[in-house]
Amino acid sequence: MAQATWEKPIDARAVLARGQKAERLKFLIGGVLLLGIVLYLVMSGTLLGARYFITIDETISDPQYAGQTVRVTGVVLGQTIKIDAESQETIITFTVSSFPADHPNLAEALYIGANDPNATHMQVRVVGQPKPELLRHEAQAIMTGKLNANGIFIADELQFKCPSRFEADAPVMGQQDHPGMELSGDAG
Amino acid sequence: MLAEIGLAALMLSFASALLAVGAAVYAARSGQARWLVSARNAAVATFPLLTVATASLLAALLTQQYTIRYVWSVTNTTTPTFYRFTALWGSQAGSLLFWTWLMSLFAFSAILINWRRYPRLMPGVVAYTMATVAFFVGLSLFLENPFERWWLDPATGQIIASALIPPGAVTPPIQILAEQAKGLNPLLRHFGMIIHPPMLYLGFVGFVIPFAFAMAALTSRDLSTGWIVATRRWSLIAWLFLSLGLILGGRWAYDVLGWGGYWGWDPVENAAFLPWLLGTAFIHSVMIQEKRGMLKVWNLVLVIGTFSMVMFATFATRSGLIDSVHAFARSEIGVPMFLFWAAMTSVSSYLILLRRREGLLRDDHRFTHILSRETLFVLNNVVFVALALAIFWGSFGAPISSELITGTEVTIGTEYYHIVTPPLFLLMYLLMGVAPLSAYGVTSLRRLGMGILYPAAATLVALALIFVTGTRGVGALLGYGLTLLAGFVAIWEIIRAAQARTRSKGESPLTAVVALFRRNRRRYGGYVVHLGVTVIGIGVIGSTLFQDDTERLLTVGESLTLQDYTIRYDGITLATADDTREMTIADVTVLRGGQELTRLRPRLDDFDGMAMTIAGQYSTLENDIYILLNDYTESTNTVRLWLYINPLVNLIWWGGLILIVGTLLGSWGGDGNAPLSPAQSSRAAQDDNPPTFPKRTKGETA
């Protein structure tokens, strides 16, 4: 670089350092901006998509969840499943029962809930969705929706867990077997 | 007999893996080569041993040994032979063993292939692979043993399960066991079941090798590009299988689960997506370290993060941690898996921080310009990590932390993902379009402009066509635009380079293209992969934004109409299949604009009380006509039919095929695993910059 005699000497290193600082600043600003955008998206998405995951009892009785869209799980009572045969739009109603969520064996817990006379029941209504193939007796239903003024849960989203048939998780011997009996291949 | 062989093999492999770890650690400490050789031998021995164990379980499944609990729980006397085979991964214990067998296979290959080339890394590679193998074999041996058998306890008359013979117990009557055997879940009797889990496992397990090499590099302080070059192909192939596993999972859900969709943002789906995101970032980011010696910390974090996510995903899926329709039953392996995941993540994080403090992970060059290749790749990493963290938060972070802090679990619905992911995906596609045109150090805007001119023009033309044929939404046009741009850039780069060759060497276009792929496999294979990702992206946008559906109750002869399609219910057929399922089949005729297109047979299957909906599908590139038989009333011969029109959905599967071809092209052949010499490195660095236009040579530096 040519310099006129009256100009101050150019310190090449200082120029380079300033240039690098400017680049670094650009990186920093860009990074903060990006971080800010992502955080904003995550927060607004969370606020929009968050649902309390509560029990049937809480849905029906707890006032803090009244009018809110919530997520609930219950066990389906098969005999209550009704599909409106006349309506062009699919309308499904069924009743779910609460079940002991902490029970170690899910199939057993669902069985208990379905047969417990003291369990809390809740009616569910679903409109405009294909009948789920897993909707059957003792299936676990995971529903997102709102309890309406009549105490019926209007579900927007429905998911079902494959119900294990509540049979013993192990084979059982027939009644005539007892200790010491000669066990042959065709006992049973 | 089979159970005993299998159990013995499992125990021996456990011992062998532990021995290998011990010997490798001792070899590293003492520097004695013979201990390393012992470690290697013990390590490679795990593969034949686990092969024996897996083969025993498979043989037991195929020969109907119902005394073995696993066989009893996943098959029964009516199970077809084919599904006996896939039952190996049909439930927890079997799939764990299968997974571990794959891991031992990969360790076996990686250790033997790289034994001479990377001696400094071998102790670490052996130790870390075998520690992981030992952990999983331990899970199988002590918590989820596939060789547990049924025993009749004469004292109580109960049938109990145990791996070892309880005192005084005898084998229960085979007849009873056979009659009460449970059989395979009907949902798993689908083509998808045959390949989706193995593909995913191959992908997950495949990342053990790059992880082990990275850990070996950290432990041995050999932080050159050795560990990256050694595992380059492993990472690509593991990534390929993971991609395939995800796409196949979507395809399976689409075919079988009867809701016209292929991705539900379910936590277990997301758990498999997380390693893919970090793995994709990794296979890109390593290029910068190879060519410029930068992003060293990023690459270690990414590869370890990928494997950490694999472990977390496995833990989440198998432990019953999260409520998902996918999740396996709650099991006892949750706590040990969590501990293993926590341990490996902590140890690796600590090592990275330590080596960084020791100054071993410094960049060889500085970041000088915001629009340089290095910077764009860092941005790429940031986008993928942001996606991974955001998805992790929605699936696990929020539910788990809310439960811990407030006592009530808060779950995050799909709306969250529909807000958070599209902008990040769009940024990803933008980068896919711009980064290939960038250069190391600094990219002049003019260079970028010249590179993007033709692709941008092509994109505008395509968008105009899309607009004219009816698509008006801003979001859709933006999405299509960025996706297409990335694809056109990839195509244009190939054309441009081929043109340069034909001009300078007089080759025919075809010869030029083949030569390009042979000379720089990774770059051009990568462009083909980008093309596949573009096609997938277009398919996703079309099928997500423009799906249309309707339903109707129909008696015989009646029809329903949606857009310009009409479907007519012609009648019902009832049948029983060979595997005893009861089928209710609706005969449906599909018409478009009055012309008959095809006849479809959507049906309802009943497996002993368990229902399955199998859609009738008519697939073209333009869309899928997807019909569900949702209900059948015999008395009135009335059916309820659902009609879905899913635009462009088949591009997803075709894009997947292009992705496979591109990855294979990019990783095929012997471009050698040896580290590049300095001369080769600098030549490669120059080579890797995109070709400049022949005219502009003055003042244009690479």
Side-chain angles (χ1 to χ4, degrees):
Chain A
M1 279 186 278
Q3 282 182 246
T5 49
W6 64 87
E7 286 177 336
K8 271 170 46 178
I10 299 171
D11 183 354
R13 264 180 314 181
V15 172
L16 189 64
R18 270 200 300 274
Q20 279 174 351
K21 228 178 165 180
E23 282 306 307
R24 216 168 291 164
L25 198 63
K26 272 191 225 167
F27 280 111
L28 200 62
I29 293 176
V32 168
L33 206 63
L34 195 60
L35 189 67
I37 295 176
V38 175
L39 274 175
Y40 169 73
L41 287 173
V42 169
M43 283 194 326
S44 52
T46 306
L47 286 173
L48 198 70
R51 308 261 175 270
Y52 283 111
F53 194 179
I54 54 179
T55 61
I56 292 180
D57 290 278
E58 286 169 321
T59 313
I60 295 178
S61 338
D62 196 330
Q64 69 165 302
Y65 301 116
Q68 267 191 52
T69 304
V70 291
R71 202 172 190 222
V72 199
T73 181
V75 56
V76 175
L77 302 176
Q79 66 274 20
T80 64
I81 300 174
K82 280 190 186 54
I83 300 174
D84 192 323
E86 314 285 299
S87 158
Q88 279 298 334
E89 210 182 11
T90 305
I91 302 176
I92 309 171
T93 52
F94 56 95
T95 304
V96 288
S97 168
S98 59
F99 65 94
D102 294 327
H103 197 95
N105 184 331
L106 180 63
E108 214 171 280
L110 295 171
Y111 176 81
I112 292 172
N115 293 293
D116 180 2
N118 297 321
T120 318
H121 290 187
M122 184 174 77
Q123 267 199 303
V124 181
R125 185 181 157 93
V126 191
V127 177
Q129 286 183 39
K131 176 190 162 211
E133 55 204 8
L134 293 174
L135 173 61
R136 50 192 289 242
H137 186 60
E138 281 181 33
Q140 182 191 9
I142 303 168
M143 307 156 281
T144 306
K146 234 192 276 202
L147 200 67
N148 73 4
N150 300 328
I152 301 179
F153 191 82
I154 311 294
D156 308 312
E157 273 172 44
L158 265 186
Q159 281 175 331
F160 291 90
K161 263 211 190 152
C162 259
S164 323
R165 283 169 285 179
F166 179 60
E167 329 170 323
D169 242 339
V172 284
M173 299 292 290
Q175 276 177 341
Q176 61 267 44
D177 297 314
H178 51 266
M181 182 180 122
E182 180 88 42
L183 295 163
S184 62
D186 51 10
Chain B
M1 191 60 193
L2 281 171
E4 279 135 354
I5 296 175
L7 197 55
L10 205 57
M11 289 186 206
L12 285 171
S13 66
F14 185 59
S16 199
L18 285 176
L19 256 165
V21 176
V25 170
Y26 188 74
R29 284 263 160 82
S30 66
Q32 292 184 45
R34 60 195 176 89
W35 277 97
L36 188 59
V37 174
S38 295
R40 178 201 69 186
N41 294 340
V44 301
T46 57
F47 172 57
L49 287 169
L50 281 168
T51 305
V52 170
T54 313
S56 308
L57 188 59
L58 199 51
L61 284 165
L62 291 170
T63 56
Q64 302 193 43
Q65 306 287 324
Y66 296 111
T67 49
I68 297 178
R69 182 187 191 174
Y70 185 73
V71 176
W72 182 88
S73 65
V74 294
T75 61
N76 61 25
T77 49
T78 65
T79 308
T81 310
F82 194 54
Y83 289 108
R84 286 185 189 286
F85 196 84
T86 67
L88 180 62
W89 51 84
S91 187
Q92 181 86 284
S95 69
L96 257 182
L97 181 61
F98 181 58
W99 165 287
T100 314
W101 173 71
L102 283 174
M103 206 180 290
S104 70
L105 168 62
F106 290 160
F108 177 88
S109 318
I111 292 170
L112 290 180
I113 291 173
N114 293 294
W115 181 249
R116 290 203 199 291
R117 279 199 208 109
Y118 300 98
R120 276 191 74 186
L121 298 178
M122 277 301 116
V125 172
V126 171
Y128 286 104
T129 50
M130 286 302 115
T132 316
V133 168
F135 171 72
F136 279 96
V137 175
L139 283 182
S140 284
L141 261 181
F142 303 114
L143 293 175
E144 286 278 345
N145 198 319
F147 298 110
E148 272 185 352
R149 277 175 284 176
W150 294 119
W151 303 102
L152 178 62
D153 181 352
T156 61
Q158 300 270 54
I159 299 184
I160 51 170
S162 170
L164 303 169
I165 308 176
V170 292
T171 309
I174 310 291
Q175 189 76 347
I176 291 185
L177 297 176
E179 276 168 9
Q180 297 182 26
K182 285 181 127 176
L184 196 63
N185 185 326
L187 272 176
L188 302 179
R189 292 187 215 199
H190 180 271
F191 177 68
M193 175 55 181
I194 292 147
I195 36 176
H196 163 68
M199 288 292 120
L200 273 185
Y201 293 168
L202 282 168
F204 287 158
V205 174
F207 276 108
V208 175
I209 305 300
F211 164 73
F213 271 82
M215 294 298 284
L218 278 170
T219 314
S220 69
R221 290 194 174 84
D222 178 3
L223 288 159
S224 64
T225 56
W227 70 271
I228 293 181
V229 177
T231 55
R232 191 195 283 158
R233 202 169 290 148
W234 282 104
S235 311
L236 267 181
I237 302 293
W239 179 88
L240 176 62
F241 282 122
L242 198 48
S243 310
L244 276 179
L246 287 166
I247 296 174
L248 283 170
R251 179 68 208 240
W252 181 15
Y254 184 73
D255 276 351
V256 152
L257 293 185
W259 51 287
Y262 45 82
W263 187 265
W265 294 110
D266 177 77
V268 169
E269 290 171 10
N270 298 340
F273 193 40
L274 295 173
W276 184 89
L277 287 167
L278 294 179
T280 307
F282 174 68
I283 57 179
H284 285 87
S285 184
V286 288
M287 291 191 241
I288 303 295
Q289 184 169 343
E290 284 184 60
K291 302 286 201 267
R292 290 280 274 192
M294 299 166 77
L295 303 190
K296 294 181 186 176
V297 175
W298 265 112
N299 293 329
L300 286 165
V301 168
L302 285 173
V303 73
I304 287 165
T306 305
F307 190 63
S308 173
M309 282 296 111
V310 167
M311 284 296 111
F312 190 85
T314 312
F315 155 63
T317 318
R318 293 173 181 275
S319 65
L321 168 77
I322 26 155
D323 251 309
S324 156
V325 292
H326 280 93
F328 285 67
R330 196 164 301 182
S331 93
E332 301 151 331
I333 68 171
V335 171
M337 285 226 63
F338 178 78
L339 291 173
F340 181 79
W341 168 78
M344 63 143 283
T345 309
S346 325
V347 168
S348 47
S349 308
Y350 169 73
L351 276 175
I352 294 178
L353 288 170
L354 188 63
R355 297 302 175 233
R356 190 160 171 263
R357 189 125 43 88
E358 291 171 9
L360 292 167
L361 295 172
R362 286 218 188 93
D363 286 348
D364 293 353
H365 290 86
R366 268 209 176 83
F367 285 93
T368 49
H369 195 266
I370 209 158
L371 209 62
S372 63
R373 202 174 182 87
E374 309 88 271
T375 312
L376 291 178
F377 271 65
V378 170
L379 187 55
N380 193 51
N381 288 349
V382 168
V383 170
F384 277 101
V385 170
L387 267 169
L389 288 176
I391 294 173
F392 183 87
W393 168 252
S395 314
F396 307 107
I400 296 175
S401 59
S402 63
E403 178 124 41
L404 283 176
I405 297 175
T406 68
T408 310
E409 187 183 334
V410 172
T411 55
I412 307 282
T414 51
E415 303 91 334
Y416 169 81
Y417 301 100
H418 293 150
I419 288 183
V420 171
T421 62
L424 290 170
F425 280 127
L426 286 178
L427 187 49
M428 184 185 99
Y429 276 101
L430 178 61
L431 282 170
M432 212 191 297
V434 170
L437 305 170
S438 63
Y440 291 107
V442 61
T443 315
S444 70
L445 280 175
R446 186 220 255 152
R447 176 209 197 98
L448 206 58
M450 301 254 63
I452 215 163
L453 191 64
Y454 282 104
T459 306
L460 286 173
V461 169
L463 276 180
L465 277 169
I466 292 172
F467 185 83
V468 154
T469 53
T471 306
R472 297 292 144 91
V474 170
L477 289 171
L478 183 62
Y480 283 136
L482 286 173
T483 324
L484 284 168
L485 181 66
F488 283 131
V489 165
I491 296 175
W492 181 238
E493 284 297 287
I494 298 177
I495 293 177
R496 219 164 41 139
Q499 269 181 350
R501 285 190 76 94
T502 53
R503 256 179 238 156
S504 62
K505 301 192 193 221
E507 285 171 349
S508 76
L510 188 60
T511 321
V513 170
V514 171
L516 280 179
F517 275 87
R518 210 179 284 148
R519 260 193 85 200
N520 199 335
R521 219 169 262 123
R522 187 156 66 167
R523 166 184 284 263
Y524 294 99
Y527 286 150
V528 177
V529 175
H530 281 187
L531 199 55
V533 175
T534 294
V535 173
I536 292 176
I538 297 174
V540 169
I541 295 173
S543 56
T544 306
L545 293 180
F546 300 110
Q547 189 189 58
D548 208 353
D549 65 83
T550 188
E551 57 163 325
R552 263 200 79 184
L553 278 175
L554 300 170
T555 56
V556 178
E558 284 187 335
S559 2
L560 80 83
T561 304
L562 185 62
Q563 297 179 20
D564 54 350
Y565 291 93
T566 306
I567 63 172
R568 186 184 67 225
Y569 170 49
D570 292 331
I572 207 86
T573 311
L574 300 168
T576 310
D578 290 333
D579 58 4
T580 72
R581 67 172 98 180
E582 308 273 326
M583 304 189 289
T584 308
I585 311 168
D587 293 297
V588 174
T589 306
V590 182
L591 304 117
R592 186 177 196 181
Q595 299 274 44
E596 181 173 316
L597 264 187
T598 184
R599 306 232 170 130
L600 293 177
R601 311 196 81 203
R603 62 179 212 261
L604 275 170
D605 287 352
D606 191 318
F607 275 103
D608 216 8
M610 196 156 227
M612 256 172 94
T613 314
I614 311 290
Q617 279 183 50
Y618 179 67
S619 304
T620 59
L621 277 185
E622 185 192 351
N623 59 34
D624 248 21
I625 303 302
Y626 185 94
I627 302 176
L628 291 179
L629 169 63
N630 204 228
D631 208 8
Y632 168 63
T633 310
E634 193 162 359
S635 50
T636 52
N637 201 348
T638 313
V639 291
R640 179 178 294 281
L641 291 182
W642 279 82
L643 169 61
Y644 290 84
I645 299 179
N646 296 323
L648 302 178
V649 71
N650 291 299
L651 290 182
I652 300 176
W653 325 124
W654 283 108
L657 276 174
I658 300 175
L659 191 144
I660 300 175
V661 170
T663 315
L664 290 175
L665 282 173
S667 55
W668 197 264
D671 55 16
N673 274 327
L676 297 171
S677 71
Q680 282 177 310
S681 283
S682 61
R683 240 181 297 143
Q686 286 167 26
D687 252 0
D688 200 57
N689 279 325
T692 56
F693 273 98
K695 294 185 212 144
R696 308 253 177 275
T697 49
K698 207 160 94 158
E700 189 93 345
T701 38

